[in-house]
Amino acid sequence: MKIFVPAEEAIRHLRDGLFAKLRSFDWFQTVSLLALQDDVILVTKQFDDHILTFSPRETIGKDLFRKGHYQRDLANRVLDLVGVPKGKVLLELGANIGTHTVYLMRSGKFDRAVSVEPDPRNLKLLKHNLSLNELSSAVTVFECAAGDNEGSIDLYFGDDNFGASSVIRPNGSSRSVRVPLRRVERILAEAKVSPEDVGLVWMDIEGAEPEALKSMAELVRLRVPILMEYGPWRYGPQKTGEMAEYLSNHYGRSIVFSGKSEKEIDIRDVLDQRDILLLP
């Protein structure tokens, strides 16, 4: 039987090479995703420099399955624009399942991260992914929402997009859960992190950005770079105007990302939802 071993190995190598080539095509990844059995709830995949467990049926998980990343190109570009951060701590508001926690920590620009996430579904995967990537000791996770008060608040679930859960009540019915609400300054104090030690704020909290900014005044005063999802339609005209004026008084540059393009624009002139990087 040993005479067949070389042939079996050759067939296996040919098969592996074929599938490696097919996986480079978006259409093949899409077909593979559609072919998943209904009882497949979570998928764990090894990527180039990290490993992640995720749900392949929600927005972020679909991108991870099909593209091999979720906005890592944005993370890399932001790191390029920030350069060498003045502080070695990453503050992440809306950590989700930890994709950007891992990407940003893998850059080597940060020694530590403080990650805030209120959604119980995401928290389980966040902690698991930190463990998978041996980052648990470097990342302090706070199980709460960020805002301008201390207490509790309703978190409304986004069922098809775990990153869309929000403390802003949506139109129509939506499942919700009561979660702790913390001020950012109090979170940093409990984590024993000085504002001067923060090198980057990564914020995506689905409409609660104005309230979170009110509780991180010292970070804004120090002009710590902030990457945020900016959504005027969520805030309303008055709140948008006040927030834009406040930020423009402290930050000299506002870079707006749209797909793969970027443009420097005065934040007061941004009318649509965009990812925005604020720099001194």
Side-chain angles (χ1 to χ4, degrees):
M1 294 296 292
K2 291 185 178 179
I3 61 173
F4 294 105
V5 171
E8 291 173 354
E9 291 181 349
I11 292 172
R12 186 175 66 253
H13 288 313
L14 179 63
R15 180 200 64 197
D16 292 346
L18 175 62
F19 275 99
K21 181 65 175 178
L22 286 171
R23 282 193 293 269
S24 67
F25 296 105
D26 290 342
W27 64 265
F28 182 79
Q29 296 289 5
T30 300
V31 170
S32 299
L33 179 61
L34 293 173
L36 284 178
Q37 297 294 322
D38 291 340
D39 58 356
V40 176
I41 299 172
L42 296 174
V43 170
T44 298
K45 289 192 71 172
Q46 174 69 58
F47 301 100
D48 288 341
D49 61 350
H50 64 287
I51 185 170
L52 291 171
T53 296
F54 54 91
S55 167
R57 307 193 189 284
E58 63 89 37
T59 301
I60 292 174
K62 287 177 182 178
D63 269 11
L64 289 171
F65 194 95
R66 292 184 300 203
K67 300 178 181 178
H69 70 94
Y70 179 70
Q71 294 187 337
R72 189 166 191 175
D73 47 354
L74 174 63
N76 291 339
R77 181 55 182 152
V78 167
L79 290 171
D80 287 342
L81 290 166
V82 170
V84 179
K86 293 183 178 180
K88 287 293 187 178
V89 177
L90 164 70
L91 173 60
E92 189 179 20
L93 305 179
N96 203 270
I97 65 170
T99 51
H100 285 83
T101 320
V102 173
Y103 299 157
L104 296 168
M105 292 299 287
R106 280 284 185 264
S107 71
K109 293 190 175 187
F110 305 100
D111 297 332
R112 184 183 173 194
V114 175
S115 295
V116 178
E117 173 57 44
D119 192 322
R121 301 169 303 178
N122 292 336
L123 281 164
K124 294 177 182 178
L125 289 177
L126 170 62
K127 294 177 180 179
H128 181 67
N129 286 327
L130 293 176
S131 177
L132 285 177
N133 291 280
E134 300 182 344
L135 288 170
S136 297
S137 61
V139 180
T140 304
V141 176
F142 282 81
E143 302 181 17
C144 63
D148 59 349
N149 290 298
E150 293 278 314
S152 63
I153 195 168
D154 287 325
L155 178 75
Y156 298 92
F157 290 128
D159 289 327
D160 296 327
N161 179 358
F162 289 4
S165 296
S166 174
V167 297
I168 309 300
R169 187 182 183 92
N171 294 325
S173 61
S174 177
R175 296 186 303 119
S176 66
V177 64
R178 199 74 178 173
V179 299
L181 179 67
R182 303 289 308 274
R183 290 179 61 86
V184 175
E185 59 198 14
R186 296 286 294 275
I187 291 172
L188 291 178
E190 186 173 324
K192 294 181 172 56
V193 172
S194 168
E196 288 81 2
D197 293 331
V198 178
L200 174 66
V201 177
W202 192 283
M203 178 165 58
D204 183 355
I205 50 179
E206 300 299 315
E209 291 81 13
E211 286 70 33
L213 283 165
K214 292 177 182 177
S215 69
M216 49 192 276
E218 185 62 12
L219 293 174
V220 174
R221 187 189 69 79
L222 292 169
R223 302 199 296 174
V224 175
I226 299 175
L227 184 285
M228 62 183 290
E229 184 181 66
Y230 183 77
W233 68 275
R234 289 181 180 270
Y235 314 141
Q238 181 176 343
K239 192 179 291 186
T240 296
E242 292 173 353
M243 183 171 68
E245 191 67 30
Y246 172 60
L247 292 172
S248 65
N249 287 336
H250 290 85
Y251 290 91
R253 301 179 64 195
S254 171
I255 300 170
V256 178
F257 300 94
S258 179
K260 294 185 178 181
S261 66
E262 63 185 67
K263 186 176 182 180
E264 191 160 337
I265 304 175
D266 189 315
I267 191 172
R268 291 167 292 192
D269 295 328
V270 179
L271 303 178
D272 302 320
Q273 180 165 310
R274 292 287 185 266
D275 288 316
I276 294 180
L277 176 62
L278 301 169
L279 294 171

